[in-house]
Amino acid sequence: MQGGSEYGTPAGGTAASSPYGVPVGSAYPGGPGQSYGQHQSYPPGGPQTNPYGTPDTSAYGVSSQPAKKPGPGKLLAGVAAIALVIGGVAGGTVGYLTGGSSGPSVNALDQPKPAQQTGNAPTGSIESVAQKLSPSVVELKVSGRTSSGEGSGFVLSSDGYILTNNHVVQAGANGGQIQAAFPDGRKATASVVGRDPTTDIAVVKVSGVANLTPVQLGRSDDLRVGQPVVAIGSPFALAGTVTSGIVSSLHRPVKAGGEQQGDQNTVMDAIQTDAAINPGNSGGPLANASGQVIGINSAIYSPNSGQGSGGQGGNVGIGFAIPIDQARRTADDIIKTGHANQTFIGAKVADAPQGGAQLGDITPGSPADKAGLKSGDVVTKIDDRVIDSADTLVAAIRTRAPDEKATFTLAGGRTVEVTLGGQPVPVN
């Protein structure tokens, strides 16, 4: 069988690419003509495209141009101009409609201001989530030798550990610079503690600041479609932006990352949400109604980013977040050991023509080999989860911890119990 990559991760052209997200780690890294993720340069040929017409050159913000983003002032100026135009039209209309009326005039400017709002925000409201979580959300400004950009993160510990996406900070990982800006105005230099390109997770640590406010982590294994969620981050460099929506789907296999051409693509078992997520939201928290972080905002579906217009797409109501259960385990590995551990089975994998994930070469001595799996076997289920593609198999494996046992159902109905393996993730 051609292609595929080891450890249950599709690569190359044999496994179908996911039709979903593009990273949203960088806000206007090179102006409106750039797209998402960290602003990077790539070798000739560029990263692969996916079947929805979204080339990785858009997904990663690839450009040879120097990073130069319009500031919030320009954005606000544009908004002001629109408001003035609308105000002029509306004013003329009102004058026309009321010009012929008679009787005493009523003027809102003569009315007293209402009493000032007091009391706490209602429990479970968007306002209460924003009040609880916003002090812990960080804007990250990243610059490297050939690229720069912005993204988001959130505080894990009072002494400075911050969780974010790999694609947000990778430009600053090797000789670059990362600056963290906190909601209270403090700024600090951050350094990369460790990162995992295969799950798009990274941990950085700031120096020179203390008494930071950690988030409260929730859980993602009991989420329900339709439950309300809140996203906080720095879209288009507008720090502290709060949006809301619902969980619109679960267990969505999304391919949205990878460091460079030839590397394994990021495949995550994503939480799908309609909360507005835009470039710069990457690495920020997705929270439940209790203000607990249940995911890391990482990618959006952008149907127009691959149409050759050169424009930067925005939110269309389909965003993706890494489940916090997976991110929590990876972050804990990174903080304790300096590297992430990847769950694997030791088999190449590709889409099966009849549906499911077809195994290719099996690594001798690997978990797949020890369980008796063979090249050519087609996996259709892991425990109770239906496996309909190679990406789904990869996502399902990576949500599990090393040494967990899982029952693989193969085409034809045979079942095999596999003890999943773990190994350090290589990082370039």
Side-chain angles (χ1 to χ4, degrees), residues 16 48 54-55 116 132 135 155 196 280 311 313 315 329 379 394 413 423:
Q48 293 177 317
T54 308
Q116 191 172 27
K132 178 179 179 178
V155 177
D196 181 2
N315 174 262
R329 185 175 67 249
V379 180
V394 174
Q423 62 181 5

Side-chain angles (χ1 to χ4, degrees), residues 42 62 106 219 333 426:
Y42 285 90
V62 175
V106 177
R219 58 189 302 164
D333 285 342

Side-chain angles (χ1 to χ4, degrees), residues 61-89:
V62 175
S63 173
S64 59
Q65 298 299 319
K68 182 178 181 183
K69 58 183 175 63
K74 293 184 178 180
L75 178 59
L76 295 176
V79 173
I82 294 172
L84 287 172
V85 170
I86 295 175
V89 174

Side-chain angles (χ1 to χ4, degrees), residues 223-229 245-250 271-273 294:
L223 296 176
R224 299 181 300 274
V225 173
Q227 78 175 77
V229 289
I246 62 169
V247 173
S248 54
S249 186
L250 293 167
I271 303 165
Q272 183 178 309
T273 180
I294 51 90

Side-chain angles (χ1 to χ4, degrees), residues 40-366:
Q40 294 184 320
S41 296
Y42 285 90
Q48 293 177 317
T49 59
N50 69 39
Y52 273 66
T54 308
D56 282 349
T57 52
S58 172
Y60 296 89
V62 175
S63 173
S64 59
Q65 298 299 319
K68 182 178 181 183
K69 58 183 175 63
K74 293 184 178 180
L75 178 59
L76 295 176
V79 173
I82 294 172
L84 287 172
V85 170
I86 295 175
V89 174
T93 303
V94 171
Y96 173 78
L97 294 174
T98 61
S101 63
S102 59
S105 173
V106 177
N107 193 329
L109 297 176
D110 297 331
Q111 299 174 10
K113 289 196 297 184
Q116 191 172 27
Q117 295 185 66
T118 59
N120 296 324
T123 301
S125 66
I126 298 170
E127 182 184 0
S128 68
V129 174
Q131 288 179 356
K132 178 179 179 178
L133 198 54
S134 291
S136 305
V137 182
V138 184
E139 182 181 18
L140 297 174
K141 300 180 180 180
V142 182
S143 61
R145 290 188 295 269
T146 59
S147 62
S148 64
E150 296 185 41
S152 305
F154 53 91
V155 177
L156 287 177
S157 67
S158 58
D159 61 346
Y161 285 107
I162 295 171
L163 187 58
T164 185
N165 284 139
N166 173 67
H167 76 260
V168 170
V169 300
Q170 64 182 8
N174 298 311
Q177 294 182 335
I178 305 172
Q179 184 185 66
F182 297 91
D184 61 7
R186 289 184 291 176
K187 296 181 179 179
T189 299
S191 58
V192 175
V193 179
R195 54 196 184 92
D196 181 2
T198 65
T199 57
D200 201 18
I201 293 170
V203 176
V204 301
K205 193 174 191 296
V206 294
S207 56
V209 293
N211 301 318
L212 300 176
T213 304
V215 300
Q216 181 182 1
L217 299 179
R219 58 189 302 164
S220 51
D221 61 352
D222 62 351
L223 296 176
R224 299 181 300 274
V225 173
Q227 78 175 77
V229 289
V230 175
I232 305 179
S234 304
F236 302 106
L238 300 173
T241 297
V242 178
T243 57
S244 65
I246 62 169
V247 173
S248 54
S249 186
L250 293 167
H251 304 299
R252 186 74 76 188
V254 173
K255 187 181 294 183
E259 287 190 294
Q260 60 185 10
Q261 188 177 16
D263 282 346
Q264 290 182 330
N265 286 323
T266 296
V267 179
M268 56 182 172
D269 193 41
I271 303 165
Q272 183 178 309
T273 180
D274 68 348
I277 298 173
N278 284 289
N281 271 113
S282 260
L286 186 71
N288 60 21
S290 297
Q292 301 167 330
V293 178
I294 51 90
I296 305 175
N297 300 317
S298 300
I300 60 174
Y301 174 56
S302 185
N304 296 324
S305 62
Q307 300 305 311
S309 63
Q312 179 164 335
N315 174 262
V316 294
I318 304 176
F320 304 103
I322 301 168
I324 198 61
D325 291 351
Q326 179 179 0
R328 183 175 194 158
R329 185 175 67 249
T330 301
D332 191 51
D333 285 342
I334 289 173
I335 291 172
K336 289 179 178 177
T337 68
H339 64 264
N341 289 309
Q342 180 188 70
T343 307
F344 77 107
I345 62 170
K348 292 184 178 180
V349 60
D351 289 343
Q354 68 274 32
Q358 184 170 2
L359 302 183
D361 294 338
I362 307 293
T363 303
S366 67

